[in-house]
Amino acid sequence: MLSTRTTRRSALQLAAGLTVALVTAPPARARTPIFDPFGDQGGVGIWGSMPLPQSIVARADILAHAESWIGKGLLYSSTGFYGRYRTDSSGYASMAWDLETSLDTTTFIPYGIATVIAKDQLQAGDALLNDAPGSAGHVVLFDSWTDSSRTSYLGYEFTPAGVQHHAIPYPYLPDRGTFRPVRANWAAGSLSTSLAPNEFVHNIRLANGSWTPYLQLLGIGSAPTFNGPETAIAGMPNGSAQVLGIGNDGNVYHQIRSANGQWSGFATLDGVGTPTMQASKVAIAAMPDGTSQVLAIGNDGNIYHQTRLTSGSWTGFAPLNGVGTPTMQAREVAITGLPDGTSQVLAIGNDGNVYHERRLTDGSWTGFAPLAGLNGAGAMQAGKIGIAGLPDGTAQAVVTGSDGNIYHQIRLNSGSWTGFVALNGYDGAPMMWAGSIGITGLPDGTAQVIAVGNDGNVYHEVRFTSGSWAGFAPVQGYALAPALPGVRVAITGMPDGSSHMVVAAR
């Protein structure tokens, strides 16, 4: 067994173009302060930067790193370290994946480092993860299947018996918890260095202001990605999130990201008398009772609404009444939930005006009414819209005016509006032009705005409870790129103070 392992180590080094020096723990690199739940970096207690690798990690390198701890006589300890990594299973996986520091089994997925995949997608360098709440937690690095039956695999793991490379029944030993296959988002082959047009990616802005890596959303069936022109997202009271997407086929798709980071996969929504709902625009709102409300502009140009119940069933799409017409024709829609159980809708009618209405808790609607334009003159003409409910019962709206710039205003609890005011642009520009916008409210009373600027990149800013703004800043791009080009953006606030963003890439 020793000679086989030694031979394998040599082969891995040759395949990866490595020198013998890489068989030791990876050298420390300069880095900014990071969250330190385990005390190995001085315990700064906040995320200054995520524990990311410097670049895409080759799969041969992952296995070489895993092999480098074999035969060292390391003792398993959740408080011990070898180099800068903790000497337990998750510290071992963090080392193999070349992270800046050790995570634990419960943080690989929430921090955007790993993604749940299917059994048939497993490749060398992926892992089997037990991160179930209340479990002891464990992670095993996947090497290869032992034979074509795929009932067992060669895996690297750090256990109380030491670091081992051996055959393991899939997914793991009986009665040891629930294991699921996962992939490091920065492993070669799990992402490209660029995104295809309209490809959906998701990431999280943590409550302290740092961002997790992007995750490509899986497509329908065996499709590796989801591509489409429109998206929306809503953060639910239980910590889950619901995402809508319009695919390149024109159908409306829905999926859920559970609070533990697992995705349900996209599924089509039923249409009005048709097997699927075809639409040009979508919006979704989370409600305090755990339901969600969805809007879609159908291929006939009408706005349709339905509710997803807490059971997971849907009420079915029904058209909204227009202004003196039986249906509301619109170009854009947005919806938000309020703490009192009501919801508020914005729409841009076919006349280009912005309209607002409320859905009361008994399911009735107040009817659409136009919003006043700049300085109270006429009706507000707009190209894009967004609306967010705040904990105090107010709502904040953003629109792009006829000049393409972003304007913001607040609907007070009295029902009156403060009037639209232009937002400052990026890097000292007096105005912020946007091709897509979104807004969300946070539990602390702040709001966050996301926008695609006139350079095609995604920008983000915060509105504080004082009414001041942080100013727009570019959001770091995908695969360590300095900026993220986007076509459509959506953002939602979560109960833990984080916000989730979905972008249809440019």
Side-chain angles (χ1 to χ4, degrees):
M1 190 70 181
L2 179 59
S3 60
T4 301
R5 182 177 298 132
T6 303
T7 301
R8 178 172 182 81
R9 181 183 302 151
S10 300
L12 285 169
Q13 290 173 337
L14 290 172
L18 302 174
T19 64
V20 175
L22 272 181
V23 181
T24 63
R29 62 172 72 98
R31 57 193 185 275
T32 53
I34 55 180
F35 182 62
D36 176 27
F38 308 109
D40 62 317
Q41 302 295 334
V44 297
I46 61 170
W47 284 97
S49 66
M50 292 300 294
L52 303 178
Q54 296 252 357
S55 61
I56 305 301
V57 184
R59 292 183 178 278
D61 287 355
I62 295 174
L63 296 185
H65 293 162
E67 185 76 19
S68 73
W69 280 21
I70 295 284
K72 295 238 177 241
L74 299 175
L75 299 179
Y76 186 93
S77 170
S78 60
T79 58
F81 287 85
Y82 181 65
R84 68 173 182 270
Y85 296 104
R86 203 173 55 254
T87 50
D88 58 14
S89 70
S90 49
Y92 181 52
S94 299
M95 178 277 298
W97 284 343
D98 196 28
L99 303 183
E100 293 277 15
T101 192
S102 300
L103 294 187
D104 66 23
T105 54
T106 64
T107 53
F108 285 121
I109 291 176
Y111 291 170
I113 299 300
T115 303
V116 179
I117 60 174
K119 175 182 178 181
D120 291 343
Q121 294 175 307
L122 277 165
Q123 299 179 45
D126 294 334
L128 283 302
L129 174 67
N130 174 12
D131 60 348
S135 70
H138 191 57
V139 59
V140 182
L141 292 162
F142 180 86
D143 180 348
S144 60
W145 296 108
T146 56
D147 56 46
S148 59
S149 70
R150 297 191 174 187
T151 57
S152 64
Y153 60 96
L154 290 174
Y156 289 93
E157 62 174 333
F158 200 157
T159 74
V163 181
Q164 304 176 70
H165 179 231
H166 57 173
I168 303 170
Y170 181 86
Y172 196 66
L173 301 173
D175 304 321
R176 298 294 179 91
T178 301
F179 284 75
R180 50 186 179 160
V182 300
R183 173 165 297 163
N185 292 332
W186 299 89
S190 61
L191 49 74
S192 61
T193 55
S194 61
L195 297 170
N198 290 338
E199 187 173 332
F200 277 28
V201 292
H202 164 271
N203 74 333
I204 301 169
R205 184 183 188 272
L206 302 177
N208 59 30
S210 62
W211 295 84
T212 68
Y214 290 94
L215 166 69
Q216 292 167 294
L217 297 191
L218 297 177
I220 309 304
S222 60
T225 62
F226 186 92
N227 299 69
E230 296 292 330
T231 185
I233 185 170
M236 308 303 295
N238 65 359
S240 66
Q242 297 186 29
V243 174
L244 292 180
I246 297 179
N248 285 337
D249 57 5
N251 290 326
V252 179
Y253 293 87
H254 171 271
Q255 79 163 313
I256 297 173
R257 182 190 187 274
S258 64
N260 70 2
Q262 187 164 0
W263 293 84
S264 65
F266 279 111
T268 55
L269 296 189
D270 293 341
V272 182
T274 57
T276 60
M277 184 65 180
Q278 291 254 315
S280 61
K281 306 291 179 182
V282 287
I284 186 169
M287 306 304 295
D289 62 0
T291 62
S292 59
Q293 294 182 32
V294 169
L295 295 178
I297 299 179
N299 283 352
D300 56 4
N302 294 324
I303 302 178
Y304 292 85
H305 169 274
Q306 75 165 319
T307 301
R308 184 182 186 272
L309 307 178
T310 54
S311 64
S313 61
W314 295 85
T315 59
F317 281 111
L320 298 189
N321 293 333
V323 182
T325 57
T327 59
M328 182 64 180
Q329 293 254 314
R331 302 173 184 174
E332 295 277 344
V333 288
I335 186 171
T336 190
L338 277 293
D340 63 359
T342 62
S343 57
Q344 296 187 30
V345 173
L346 287 185
I348 299 178
N350 282 350
D351 55 6
N353 293 331
V354 180
Y355 293 86
H356 171 269
E357 83 163 317
R358 297 166 60 227
R359 183 181 188 270
L360 306 181
T361 55
D362 63 3
S364 62
W365 296 85
T366 59
F368 281 108
L371 294 189
L374 299 177
N375 300 316
M380 185 66 181
Q381 291 258 312
K384 302 293 181 183
I385 50 176
I387 189 167
L390 277 293
D392 63 0
T394 62
Q396 297 186 29
V398 288
V399 306
T400 57
S402 54
D403 57 4
N405 294 317
I406 302 177
Y407 295 86
H408 169 273
Q409 74 165 320
I410 299 172
R411 184 184 187 274
L412 305 177
N413 287 317
S414 64
S416 61
W417 294 84
T418 58
F420 283 110
V421 176
L423 297 190
N424 292 332
Y426 169 62
D427 200 22
M431 307 278 276
M432 183 67 183
W433 187 97
S436 178
I437 55 173
I439 185 170
T440 190
L442 279 294
D444 63 359
T446 62
Q448 295 180 28
V449 175
I450 205 84
V452 176
N454 57 8
D455 57 1
N457 293 324
V458 178
Y459 292 83
H460 171 274
E461 84 161 315
V462 176
R463 183 184 188 272
F464 302 109
T465 54
S466 64
S468 62
W469 294 85
F472 280 105
V475 178
Q476 186 181 43
Y478 183 74
L480 305 181
L484 178 68
V487 175
R488 187 75 169 184
V489 290
I491 190 169
T492 189
M494 305 298 293
D496 64 358
S498 66
S499 56
H500 289 222
M501 182 175 71
V502 176
V503 176
R506 185 177 300 277

